[in-house]
Amino acid sequence: MNPIAALLLFWFGLFTASAQIAEDITALETPALDETSGLLFYNDTLITHTDSGGKAQLYDINPTTGAITRTVEIANAINVDWEDIAQDASYIYIGDIGNNSGDRTDLKIYKIAKADYNTTDDAVTAEIIAFSYADQIDFTRQPNQTNWDAEGLISYGDKLLVFTKNWADNCTNVYAIPKTSGTHSAVLESSYPINGLITGADTSPDERVIYLVGYSTSEAPFLYTIHNIPEHSLDVFSGELSEKIADIVTLGHQVEGIALSEITPTAHRLYLSNEKFNTSLGPIKIKVPAKLMGIDIDTQTLTDH
């Protein structure tokens, strides 16, 4: 980000903090979680991981203090660019789907049995779901200029859905991938002009509400929900999109992870995480630590709009 723009966004964020709806919970443990990316709520704790070049590890973190309570290595994995994490009743899925330059040919999702994760102290072995986009024919390296980057992953019925981070057109495309190990072609199922860059996704336990978090070209963070999706439809944007919830956290934060904890079927606690951000303008230094934040959402209110 341009340093002047970063400074302006930071100060504007301070002055508008009272208008934000997310509350700071705690800073995450540094330096291990400075590059926190995906976020998952499971067994009354949060699980996170770091992104490109980080260790092939998952970290259980205390949702109140941000401290790491357990570290689990994925023994047969490499963290090329882990960007999101999802779950269903039996498995945890790690999306090695980051593709800033649009030239990757080794995209994959690591599938970990919850039974193994629950009973193993420090290492698990994953099944591997390799994939490529069915409609990608150009693999020319174009940093931050293509529509083949992705940072959102959810489990949805018997499929995994990847939400792309489209640098070229500011849309998000939704691709479906089978949950079985092997090599697959990801099929385009849905698309929407989101007017921003999606950085994380999650669903309610009944999969009736999908949450998307991201930021606009001005770096302003936002949140959308998708609801009233036709039953069994993978065209998730054929459902209804809530009004855009803009500036969900103070500007200057890049929200990366989102995880849902169900309070009631219509009341959800959303946990958000952002990575560490440092910049300077001359003698002025701006430092935002990796953080954990929280929002309470009433989905009934959203669907009434």
Side-chain angles (χ1 to χ4, degrees):
M1 188 192 309
N2 180 281
I4 296 176
L7 182 63
L8 291 174
L9 288 173
F10 177 75
W11 284 111
F12 180 74
L14 291 181
F15 286 122
T16 59
S18 61
Q20 313 307 312
I21 65 171
E23 62 176 8
D24 282 359
I25 297 175
T26 184
L28 295 174
E29 190 169 315
T30 187
L33 301 181
D34 284 350
E35 298 297 322
T36 179
S37 189
L39 199 62
L40 183 73
F41 187 84
Y42 172 58
N43 273 354
D44 295 322
T45 195
L46 289 165
I47 302 174
T48 191
H49 56 77
T50 57
D51 58 14
S52 55
K55 295 179 179 179
Q57 295 176 336
L58 296 180
Y59 304 91
D60 288 3
I61 59 174
N62 185 299
T64 301
T65 67
I68 297 171
T69 59
R70 179 178 176 232
T71 300
V72 178
E73 179 184 0
I74 315 305
N76 60 331
I78 298 172
N79 186 343
V80 177
D81 196 354
W82 292 9
E83 289 293 355
D84 207 0
I85 184 170
Q87 65 178 323
D88 59 20
S90 301
Y91 294 93
I92 293 170
Y93 303 89
I94 306 168
D96 191 350
I97 56 178
N99 190 17
N100 286 335
S101 297
D103 60 344
R104 285 188 63 184
T105 57
D106 60 348
L107 299 170
K108 58 179 64 71
I109 296 166
Y110 294 103
K111 177 180 178 180
I112 301 156
K114 285 183 172 178
D116 292 343
Y117 193 83
N118 295 341
T119 57
T120 304
D121 289 335
D122 56 6
V124 295
T125 300
E127 296 180 49
I128 298 176
I129 303 169
F131 73 94
S132 59
Y133 297 109
D135 53 348
Q136 183 179 7
I137 58 175
D138 183 2
F139 291 85
T140 305
R141 180 177 174 81
Q142 301 178 70
N144 297 347
Q145 295 181 52
T146 79
N147 292 334
W148 307 112
D149 195 8
E151 294 194 15
L153 176 70
I154 64 170
S155 168
Y156 196 73
D158 63 352
K159 303 289 186 183
L160 295 167
L161 299 186
V162 171
F163 290 79
T164 60
K165 182 183 184 183
N166 290 17
W167 296 95
D169 62 16
N170 275 295
C171 295
T172 187
N173 298 325
V174 184
Y175 290 86
I177 304 167
K179 290 182 174 179
T180 53
S181 58
T183 300
H184 301 283
S185 183
V187 178
L188 178 63
E189 299 285 357
S190 195
S191 186
Y192 192 82
I194 207 77
N195 193 27
L197 301 171
I198 296 300
T199 58
D202 203 359
T203 64
S204 59
D206 60 10
E207 299 183 348
R208 298 183 67 176
V209 183
I210 296 174
Y211 291 89
L212 300 175
V213 69
Y215 59 90
S216 68
T217 52
S218 67
E219 304 292 332
F222 62 77
L223 173 73
Y224 278 107
T225 71
I226 314 172
H227 49 275
N228 292 337
I229 302 167
E231 190 172 1
H232 306 305
S233 175
L234 294 176
D235 181 7
V236 296
F237 283 111
S238 65
E240 297 178 32
L241 208 65
S242 70
E243 292 183 0
K244 183 178 185 179
I245 304 173
D247 301 330
I248 56 172
V249 298
T250 307
L251 292 171
H253 295 68
Q254 181 171 312
V255 175
E256 289 285 337
I258 180 170
L260 181 146
S261 169
E262 185 178 66
I263 302 170
T264 72
T266 60
H268 299 155
R269 175 71 165 171
L270 301 181
Y271 291 95
L272 306 174
S273 62
N274 71 267
E275 60 186 23
K276 181 180 178 180
F277 172 70
N278 290 336
T279 192
S280 60
L281 182 62
I284 302 173
K285 297 187 182 299
I286 301 168
K287 295 184 179 181
V288 178
K291 269 190 200 177
L292 183 65
M293 297 155 284
I295 306 174
D296 291 326
I297 296 289
D298 180 351
T299 59
Q300 186 62 47
T301 301
L302 291 172
T303 57
D304 284 344
H305 284 270

